[in-house]
Amino acid sequence: MNNPRTAWIVYIVLRLLFFAVPFTVLFLIGLQPWIAAVFAALIGVALSVIFLARPRSTASESIYDWRNRDRTPDDIVEDEAVEARETPSETARPGPSAGPDASGTGTGTGTASNSR
Protein backbone atom coordinates (compact mmCIF):
# COMPACT_ATOMS: atom_id res chain seq x y z
CA MET A 1 0.00 0.00 0.00
CA ASN A 2 2.37 2.71 -1.23
CA ASN A 3 -0.31 5.22 -2.19
CA PRO A 4 -1.09 7.44 0.82
CA ARG A 5 -4.60 8.18 -0.43
CA THR A 6 -5.43 4.48 -0.63
CA ALA A 7 -3.98 3.93 2.83
CA TRP A 8 -6.11 6.76 4.24
CA ILE A 9 -9.28 5.42 2.64
CA VAL A 10 -8.63 1.85 3.79
CA TYR A 11 -7.74 3.02 7.30
CA ILE A 12 -10.80 5.25 7.70
CA VAL A 13 -13.28 2.74 6.25
CA LEU A 14 -11.94 -0.15 8.31
CA ARG A 15 -11.87 1.93 11.51
CA LEU A 16 -15.50 2.86 10.94
CA LEU A 17 -16.41 -0.77 10.28
CA PHE A 18 -14.46 -1.90 13.36
CA PHE A 19 -16.72 0.36 15.42
CA ALA A 20 -20.04 0.09 13.53
CA VAL A 21 -20.26 -3.70 13.32
CA PRO A 22 -19.68 -4.41 17.03
CA PHE A 23 -21.95 -1.49 17.98
CA THR A 24 -24.76 -2.83 15.81
CA VAL A 25 -24.39 -6.36 17.14
CA LEU A 26 -24.24 -5.23 20.76
CA PHE A 27 -27.19 -2.87 20.30
CA LEU A 28 -29.28 -5.57 18.63
CA ILE A 29 -28.69 -8.04 21.46
CA GLY A 30 -30.20 -5.53 23.87
CA LEU A 31 -27.41 -3.51 25.49
CA GLN A 32 -27.99 0.12 26.31
CA PRO A 33 -26.69 2.38 23.50
CA TRP A 34 -23.99 4.01 25.62
CA ILE A 35 -22.72 0.65 26.88
CA ALA A 36 -22.74 -0.72 23.33
CA ALA A 37 -20.79 2.36 22.18
CA VAL A 38 -18.15 1.94 24.90
CA PHE A 39 -17.64 -1.74 24.16
CA ALA A 40 -17.68 -1.14 20.41
CA ALA A 41 -15.01 1.56 20.81
CA LEU A 42 -12.81 -0.79 22.84
CA ILE A 43 -13.27 -3.56 20.31
CA GLY A 44 -12.58 -1.16 17.43
CA VAL A 45 -9.35 0.11 18.99
CA ALA A 46 -8.14 -3.43 19.65
CA LEU A 47 -8.91 -4.57 16.12
CA SER A 48 -7.28 -1.52 14.56
CA VAL A 49 -4.10 -2.00 16.59
CA ILE A 50 -3.93 -5.63 15.52
CA PHE A 51 -4.93 -5.38 11.86
CA LEU A 52 -4.23 -1.83 10.67
CA ALA A 53 -0.51 -1.38 11.36
CA ARG A 54 0.49 -1.02 7.70
CA PRO A 55 -2.19 1.52 6.64
CA ARG A 56 -1.60 3.47 9.86
CA SER A 57 2.14 3.57 9.16
CA THR A 58 1.60 4.74 5.59
CA ALA A 59 -0.89 7.38 6.74
CA SER A 60 1.48 8.67 9.42
CA GLU A 61 4.33 8.84 6.90
CA SER A 62 2.11 10.90 4.61
CA ILE A 63 1.37 13.28 7.50
CA TYR A 64 5.09 13.60 8.21
CA ASP A 65 5.85 14.25 4.53
CA TRP A 66 3.07 16.83 4.34
CA ARG A 67 4.31 18.65 7.46
CA ASN A 68 7.89 18.74 6.18
CA ARG A 69 7.25 19.48 2.51
CA ASP A 70 8.52 23.08 2.67
CA ARG A 71 11.52 22.47 4.92
CA THR A 72 14.99 22.90 3.53
CA PRO A 73 18.06 21.08 4.88
CA ASP A 74 19.07 24.38 6.50
CA ASP A 75 15.75 24.52 8.36
CA ILE A 76 16.26 20.99 9.65
CA VAL A 77 19.78 21.79 10.95
CA GLU A 78 18.52 24.96 12.64
CA ASP A 79 15.63 23.12 14.30
CA GLU A 80 17.96 20.41 15.59
CA ALA A 81 20.33 23.05 17.01
CA VAL A 82 17.46 24.81 18.81
CA GLU A 83 16.19 21.52 20.23
CA ALA A 84 19.69 20.53 21.37
CA ARG A 85 20.12 23.90 23.10
CA GLU A 86 16.72 23.69 24.85
CA THR A 87 16.86 20.06 25.98
CA PRO A 88 19.74 20.20 28.52
CA SER A 89 18.53 23.40 30.17
CA GLU A 90 15.09 21.92 30.79
CA THR A 91 16.38 18.72 32.37
CA ALA A 92 19.23 20.28 34.40
CA ARG A 93 17.13 23.00 35.96
CA PRO A 94 17.66 22.89 39.77
CA GLY A 95 14.76 22.90 42.16
CA PRO A 96 13.99 25.84 44.47
CA SER A 97 16.21 24.54 47.30
CA ALA A 98 18.94 22.89 45.25
CA GLY A 99 21.54 25.64 45.47
CA PRO A 100 25.19 25.05 46.50
CA ASP A 101 24.42 25.89 50.14
CA ALA A 102 21.28 23.76 50.38
CA SER A 103 23.15 20.56 51.19
CA GLY A 104 25.47 22.16 53.72
CA THR A 105 28.55 21.41 51.62
CA GLY A 106 28.81 24.77 49.92
CA THR A 107 31.11 27.64 50.82
CA GLY A 108 28.45 29.99 52.08
CA THR A 109 29.36 32.66 54.60
CA GLY A 110 27.61 33.28 57.86
CA THR A 111 26.66 29.69 58.61
CA ALA A 112 27.37 28.09 61.94
CA SER A 113 29.95 25.70 60.51
CA ASN A 114 31.94 28.43 58.75
CA SER A 115 31.85 31.08 61.47
CA ARG A 116 33.90 29.15 64.05
Side-chain angles (χ1 to χ4, degrees), residues 16-79:
L16 289 172
L17 285 175
F18 285 168
F19 175 78
V21 171
F23 177 76
T24 305
V25 170
L26 292 170
F27 184 72
L28 289 177
I29 63 171
L31 286 176
Q32 295 290 325
W34 68 274
I35 295 174
V38 169
F39 282 123
L42 292 173
I43 292 168
V45 167
L47 290 174
S48 68
V49 167
I50 294 169
F51 295 113
L52 298 180
R54 187 177 299 146
R56 185 176 48 250
S57 174
T58 305
S60 67
E61 287 173 9
S62 73
I63 292 171
Y64 178 82
D65 292 340
W66 176 76
R67 290 277 295 147
N68 295 310
R69 68 184 181 276
D70 294 332
R71 292 181 71 195
T72 63
D74 186 44
D75 292 335
I76 295 169
V77 170
E78 289 175 358
D79 290 344

